[in-house]
Amino acid sequence: MTPHTGTALVTGASSGIGATYADQLAARGHDLVLVARDAARLRAAAERIGQATGVAVEVLPADLTRPADLATVRDRVATDARLALLVNCAGLGPLGPSLDSPADLYDGMLDLNVRALQTLTFAAAKAFADRGRGAIVNVSSVVALIPERFNAGYAAQKAFVLALTQGLAAEIGGKGVQLQAVLPGVTRTEFFDRAGADIGQIPAEMIMEARDLVAAALAGLDAGEAVTIPSLPDPADWQAFEAARFHLGPNLSRRAPAARYGFG
């Protein structure tokens, strides 16, 4: 597939994976709309990126957990005909195991990781489908596939992101909109500092640099991948996983319970 062009709107663009997407998309020639809570960091990033690449960079400060701010960004996504790419990177993480994190933390996590992402994804999908072009990148996580290995609430939210992306891709297939779910593993960002975790306790061979993660994800986008796991060496492993999932299909909904439960 040919690389996408046009303006890209990136959420969570003030740090971590989102900031790295902004840098690499600008290097590819995309004009940018950068969204995050920290207006000062956004303005500094916009100035730096604009001077380095010559692309137009606009900042749109917003706290996507606030309904009014989310509505502002949603409306921008829905109405700006220059937009051709939405990258949903904004996210919150937990503070340790599920029951060790404050209960109210999960409200903010749900608002940002699920509600905001879904709102912007649907707005972009409709706008892009109406124009017959565009791409949506949703940053999920490998914990969506192995929820037993991480905070249950966070893993569930990232599983939602994966399912939303796959399901919507099936619904609007043929309308010119590409959807990609990116599943990072452990990535060196501010995520761990904010969660009060020590990334130094994780084996070095498990930690990917954000620049490498995003470069691989963009290569996957160019290749038309619906799901990109940057660290996965053999795509046949994912294809086998998908094939096993679809193999369940004929037996997921039947008139009678299975004989193993004493029926039949």
Side-chain angles (χ1 to χ4, degrees):
M1 297 183 66
T2 56
H4 295 278
T5 57
T7 299
L9 187 147
V10 183
T11 72
S14 63
S15 63
I17 293 172
T20 306
Y21 261 107
D23 285 338
Q24 295 194 18
L25 289 171
R28 285 175 162 227
H30 289 270
D31 291 335
L32 300 174
V33 179
L34 305 183
V35 178
R37 292 179 299 175
D38 192 328
R41 291 184 73 172
L42 283 183
R43 286 192 292 268
E47 182 177 359
R48 174 181 55 78
I49 292 171
Q51 290 179 349
T53 65
V55 304
V57 187
E58 179 183 348
V59 300
L60 183 55
D63 180 346
L64 297 178
T65 67
R66 295 179 177 176
D69 286 9
L70 176 58
T72 296
V73 180
R74 177 204 62 205
D75 292 347
R76 178 63 179 272
V77 169
T79 61
D80 189 341
R82 299 172 301 165
L83 290 181
L85 175 61
L86 168 67
V87 183
N88 277 312
C89 284
L92 284 174
L95 299 172
S98 296
L99 302 186
D100 291 346
S101 295
D104 59 359
L105 174 67
Y106 291 106
D107 294 334
M109 287 173 59
L110 280 168
D111 284 341
L112 186 57
N113 298 351
V114 173
R115 190 189 312 278
L117 182 139
Q118 176 177 268
T119 296
L120 298 183
T121 295
F122 283 165
K126 185 178 187 310
F128 293 168
D130 287 346
R131 296 199 290 270
R133 64 178 180 86
I136 301 168
V137 176
N138 288 332
V139 177
S140 176
S141 169
V142 293
V143 301
L145 305 177
I146 47 170
E148 300 87 352
R149 302 288 183 88
F150 203 68
N151 175 286
Y154 182 81
Q157 291 164 21
K158 292 303 183 179
F160 173 90
V161 174
L162 174 59
L164 177 74
T165 307
Q166 291 177 299
L168 187 57
E171 285 189 36
I172 64 173
K175 294 189 176 181
V177 184
Q178 181 183 357
L179 285 101
Q180 180 199 34
V182 178
L183 277 61
V186 181
T187 308
R188 195 184 307 280
T189 68
E190 296 176 11
F191 177 94
F192 291 92
D193 292 337
R194 291 173 179 170
D198 181 5
I199 196 173
Q201 299 300 311
I202 299 173
E205 62 270 18
M206 292 179 63
I207 305 171
M208 188 174 291
E209 300 299 326
R211 64 178 180 274
D212 297 331
L213 166 72
V214 172
L218 289 173
L221 184 69
D222 292 343
E225 291 183 349
V227 177
T228 296
I229 306 175
S231 61
L232 188 68
D234 189 349
D237 291 340
W238 173 255
Q239 293 159 7
F241 178 87
E242 288 285 88
R245 183 167 67 87
F246 281 106
H247 181 72
L248 297 174
N251 293 314
L252 291 178
S253 182
R254 303 191 68 169
R255 180 167 59 92
R260 63 196 178 97
Y261 295 117
F263 292 80

